[in-house]
Amino acid sequence: MPFECSCCGSCCMYLGDYIVIERQTAPFVFIGCCVSTGTEFIAPIDEDKRELFSDRSWIRDHPSACPFLRPSGDMIICTIHESSPVQCKSYRCTAFRISSPKGDVIGRVTGELNLHTDDPKLRFAWDDLTTRIPGLQEISEDMLRRFLEDRGYLCV
Ligand code: SF4
Ligand code: SF4
């Protein structure tokens, strides 16, 4: 099933130290920077989101959030969606969800193949696999699914 972002905003809520605005070059055009790589990018605010961006009240109350993030109805959205950095575009908070054999969702795997779970058995199985293989980059999403499904988990 292809990943569909629900625009909950969670992944951008604490990126204010990593995506920063360096300077403004026009009324709705900024130079942004990905701090971890030192890469600058031109960030025009999407035309249909300029009004949202101009309201600074939310971002003032959420200083840890990415400076381009704004609430829009029930969603929290990126106001530079069209020009956002490549790592933002490719990010998937959920590559697949993991259910127990009974069908309860007990974890999820991100697009970067990190496991999020509170289930100790699932964590143990995951650690067992990932400590045996030196770098997760050598593991594909399909291999992880097969490994988990062989142990009775459902991956959707
Ligand atoms: S990628 Fe995931 S966490 Fe980020 S906004 Fe979309 S649904 Fe939310
Ligand atoms: S640029 Fe957009 S997608 Fe990237 S962290 Fe900021 S709000 Fe999120």
Side-chain angles (χ1 to χ4, degrees):
M1 186 190 299
F3 172 68
E4 274 184 41
C5 174
S6 63
C7 295
C8 70
S10 302
C11 55
C12 311
M13 283 299 290
Y14 298 98
L15 291 183
D17 287 339
Y18 300 94
I19 301 280
V20 299
I21 291 176
E22 294 273 344
R23 58 192 182 277
Q24 186 167 8
T25 57
F28 286 101
V29 183
F30 298 84
I31 302 297
C33 183
C34 301
V35 175
S36 56
T37 58
T39 315
E40 288 192 341
F41 59 97
I42 300 172
I45 305 301
D46 294 347
E47 274 189 36
D48 60 344
K49 302 186 187 90
R50 291 180 174 181
E51 202 177 319
L52 283 179
F53 181 82
S54 298
D55 183 349
R56 310 285 172 119
S57 53
W58 184 89
I59 199 71
R60 267 198 300 270
D61 291 341
H62 298 83
S64 301
C66 171
F68 296 110
L69 199 62
R70 293 290 186 278
S72 174
D74 292 339
M75 299 185 291
I76 303 182
I77 65 171
C78 175
T79 56
I80 58 163
H81 186 67
E82 288 171 22
S83 59
S84 60
V86 65
Q87 59 267 45
C88 295
K89 287 197 185 344
S90 60
Y91 181 77
R92 291 179 299 160
C93 64
T94 308
F96 58 92
R97 290 185 175 75
I98 304 167
S99 300
S100 70
K102 288 183 188 164
D104 302 321
V105 177
I106 54 174
R108 70 180 165 87
V109 174
T110 67
E112 292 159 331
L113 303 185
N114 295 312
L115 173 70
H116 292 254
T117 185
D118 293 326
D119 186 274
K121 275 190 188 166
L122 174 58
R123 171 59 65 192
F124 183 82
W126 181 273
D127 289 347
D128 180 45
L129 173 69
T130 55
T131 50
R132 275 191 279 127
I133 296 184
L136 258 185
Q137 60 273 21
E138 294 173 30
I139 296 181
S140 70
E141 193 179 315
D142 281 347
M143 283 168 65
L144 283 169
R145 283 173 182 263
R146 276 201 301 277
F147 170 84
L148 293 166
E149 284 169 357
D150 285 349
R151 279 150 188 79
Y153 296 106
L154 306 172
C155 301
V156 179

